[in-house]
Amino acid sequence: MSSHSVEDIKQQSARLRGTLLESLANPVTGALDEDDQTLIKYHGSYQQDDRDIREERRLAKLEPAYAFMIRTRTPGGVVTPAQWLKLDAVATTFAERGLRITTRQAFQFHGVIKTELKATMQAINAALIDTLAACGDVNRNVAVAANPLQSQLHAQVHAQAAALSEFMLPNTRAYYEIWLDEERVAGSGSEDEAVYGPTYLPRKFKIGFAIPPYNDVDVFAQDLGFIAIADTDGQLLGYNVSVGGGMGATHGDPETYPRLGDVIGFVAPDQLAQVAVGVVTTQRDFGNRVLRKRARLKYTIDDNGLDWFKAEVERRAGFALSTARPFDFVHNGDRFGWVEGADGRAHLTLRIVAGRIWDREGLTHLTGLREIARVLDDADADAQFRLTPNQNLVIAGVPAALRERVDALVAQYGLDTHVAATPLKRNALACVALPTCGLAMAEAERYLPEFTDKVQALLDTHGLRDAPIHLRISGCPNGCSRPYLGEIALVGKAPGRYNLMLGADHRGQRLNTLFRENVVEAQILDALDPVLARYAGERYAEEGFGDFLVRAGIVVPPKPAIPLQLRTENAA
Ligand code: SRM
Ligand code: SF4
């Protein structure tokens, strides 16, 4: 890797330009110059190589099979049917393995080669979607409760989240110059980054908006979380503010850990941007710029104290936060099938296993969704495709007249897997991992179907077929599928070996804990079998698996994210 630190690379990059143009033009290699590999992340892309054939290429004395992953910035994961069709065309023209829905409501394209990178970026932009700041030490794609069309409240929250995403974009024109041929002008390379400054943030930064009672965005896993508070008529009153969530950790390094956000107060809707700037600039100025492993906001808070952090944010925002309001989360998964919206239109949530939408061996999901997008686009129905933070897909705003047609296509293309799937299979998450992720230690996305089948077989044996257990797999401890919030989770250690984590609460409010370290599949199933047997025999009605494990003393939970007095049922 580069001998320059990430901080130096940012500082010397002329606002994220570096030598990207030269790197892209270099015909000798499929890779970028090392420093440019860091800078391209801010433009929404990662250089990767196909790890399945790494060894084969090495033996053949060939450079690794370099290709690029591209990630969109799609706040709340919203696109129109026309945009869907364009993104589908990008996937089929330039990428491998179709479209991938991420756990932050973005699309990823994998396998784009360097010589086609610019054309791919231009095709994405032609769909009026950008990839700016989708990766890198800046604010990432803003996650928002999944279906804004369902109620006026959702729509309001989504609009605020989208505006905040826009507001938090870097000011540099580098993206437009490099990918969209915008002309360099006086001042190019020294744009004023009013919020970020010349070295941007010490580390990635994530914002999410939840709308109780659903916590589909896992708001306490976000650096900055906003929990919408409404009155009994559904009118938005403001947001509780949560700070310092994050999942990433390193095996064997107790200085790193997953952490749930702390609720520090309440803001009115018109105070949102100021409080976000207060949090982001405090992290900019006090985050660790020496040790990247300790640079996330969660460590800035733990190293300096929550009271100090809150006071600093209030000073910068120019007002004191009000007392946080009570709220209640019941679930952090999705709700599948049709729901009626407030305006008479309907919304269909489909299960997409690990977010991967592609056509292969008798499976034609990409084609099916293309057909549905065409129907909705031709009818000019004002419908939308909405990605969920659980890697699923909502076909939203379907007018009554088109519902039957959509249903027929869903059935024809086998997109109705949510109907037959058990709750375990409907809710399971897996990160991408192999073969593209350079950090993967074990399989995740490719292992999910096989592993859920095996756990389902255990559930069936114990009469727990429809137990709504949340299962998550990550290929390494970075935690891209938010595994530390799974009731059952596997965290990759080595090929075929995982840490088995148990005991989160399916509301995104309690982390799980390590149950078995560095185990293989047979050991995992052996460990699960007796605890599932006890769950089957001893659970209370409606008691979740994670909650049972804690009550039965099988796992000892870390501290809860939400002080008890903030839960609605305990509020005065
Ligand atoms: Fe992630 C790094 C994929 C959501 C924590 N993540 C990566 C990289 C880019 C690997 C790399 O750095 O080389 C992965 C690319 C794999 C590939 O081939 O596509 C990757 N992360 C993903 C996605 C695609 C997983 C998915 O299956 O959906 C998600 C894309 C989200 C998006 O659209 O922006 C994704 N990553 C997350 C989440 C979940 C979330 O944000 O809700 C987390 C945990 C929350 C958090 O940030 O703490 C997450 N990813 C990480 C980390 C650990 C950061 C840390 O604090 O230590 C890394 C590694 C890093 O940054 O050094 C990472
Ligand atoms: Fe890669 Fe690890 Fe993230 Fe999975 S959790 S996508 S293996 S970085």
Side-chain angles (χ1 to χ4, degrees), residues 137-469:
D137 296 343
V138 281
N139 177 49
R140 304 288 191 89
N141 198 39
V142 175
V144 194
N147 190 354
L149 290 179
Q150 209 173 312
S151 72
Q152 184 53 34
L153 176 64
H154 279 76
Q156 242 178 310
V157 172
H158 181 264
Q160 282 218 282
L164 187 61
S165 168
E166 210 62 30
F167 179 71
M168 285 288 168
L169 282 177
N171 286 331
T172 174
R173 301 301 297 175
Y175 180 84
Y176 305 94
E177 287 173 16
I178 292 168
W179 308 108
L180 306 177
D181 296 327
E182 186 177 277
E183 252 179 66
R184 277 187 78 112
V185 294
S188 286
S190 56
E191 291 93 338
D192 180 25
E193 292 288 11
V195 173
Y196 292 122
T199 46
Y200 299 85
L201 297 180
R203 203 67 166 83
K204 57 174 67 166
F205 190 88
K206 298 180 174 179
I207 300 178
F209 287 73
I211 304 180
Y214 301 112
N215 188 16
D216 50 359
V217 300
D218 274 330
V219 73
F220 300 113
Q222 313 286 331
D223 293 279
L224 173 57
F226 291 107
I227 301 160
I229 304 293
D231 66 15
T232 44
D233 296 328
Q235 295 301 312
L236 179 67
L237 300 173
Y239 302 91
N240 280 349
V241 180
S242 160
V243 293
M247 294 279 101
T250 304
H251 285 311
D253 179 356
E255 290 288 290
T256 66
Y257 42 83
R259 181 188 191 280
L260 295 187
D262 290 293
V263 177
I264 56 170
F266 172 88
V267 292
D270 63 0
Q271 295 176 315
L272 193 81
Q274 285 138 287
V275 87
V277 170
V279 171
V280 167
T281 59
T282 303
Q283 163 65 355
R284 176 196 68 197
D285 297 342
F286 292 94
N288 191 328
R289 288 196 185 253
V290 178
L291 261 185
R292 280 185 70 75
K293 268 188 188 177
R294 290 273 307 169
R296 290 294 291 272
L297 178 68
K298 58 186 174 182
Y299 304 120
T300 313
I301 293 174
D302 284 349
D303 291 348
N304 294 280
L306 189 63
D307 291 343
W308 166 85
F309 183 78
K310 182 179 172 192
E312 191 62 31
V313 170
E314 289 179 331
R315 190 179 68 72
R316 289 167 187 244
F319 55 82
L321 304 183
S322 316
T323 308
R325 309 282 175 94
F327 63 96
D328 227 5
F329 285 131
V330 294
H331 203 259
N332 61 351
D334 291 334
R335 298 158 309 287
F336 294 89
W338 286 101
V339 290
E340 304 291 337
D343 61 356
R345 292 190 292 163
H347 318 290
L348 173 64
T349 303
L350 299 174
R351 167 67 180 156
I352 307 291
V353 179
R356 180 72 63 188
I357 302 170
W358 57 337
D359 290 348
R360 72 189 158 107
E361 303 144 19
L363 181 125
T364 48
H365 288 173
L366 193 62
T367 306
L369 288 165
R370 185 183 310 139
E371 291 303 313
I372 293 172
R374 279 192 186 132
V375 166
L376 295 171
D377 189 40
D378 289 349
D380 211 5
D382 202 20
Q384 291 170 336
F385 285 73
R386 294 177 174 267
L387 316 182
T388 84
N390 290 307
Q391 302 172 322
N392 295 311
L393 178 66
V394 186
I395 302 175
V398 178
L402 289 180
R403 195 161 152 169
E404 213 173 296
R405 181 91 185 94
V406 169
D407 262 338
L409 288 167
V410 163
Q412 181 183 342
Y413 289 96
L415 285 158
D416 51 0
T417 48
H418 62 279
V419 177
T422 57
L424 177 91
K425 293 192 178 189
R426 279 202 298 260
N427 286 308
L429 296 185
C431 72
V432 179
L434 294 162
T436 52
C437 178
L439 305 177
M441 298 170 171
E443 297 280 355
E445 180 185 320
R446 295 194 294 198
Y447 181 44
L448 184 76
E450 185 186 332
F451 185 67
T452 48
D453 275 351
K454 291 183 176 164
V455 176
Q456 186 64 51
L458 275 184
L459 293 183
D460 293 355
T461 312
H462 294 295
L464 291 169
R465 182 169 176 74
D466 288 321
I469 296 175

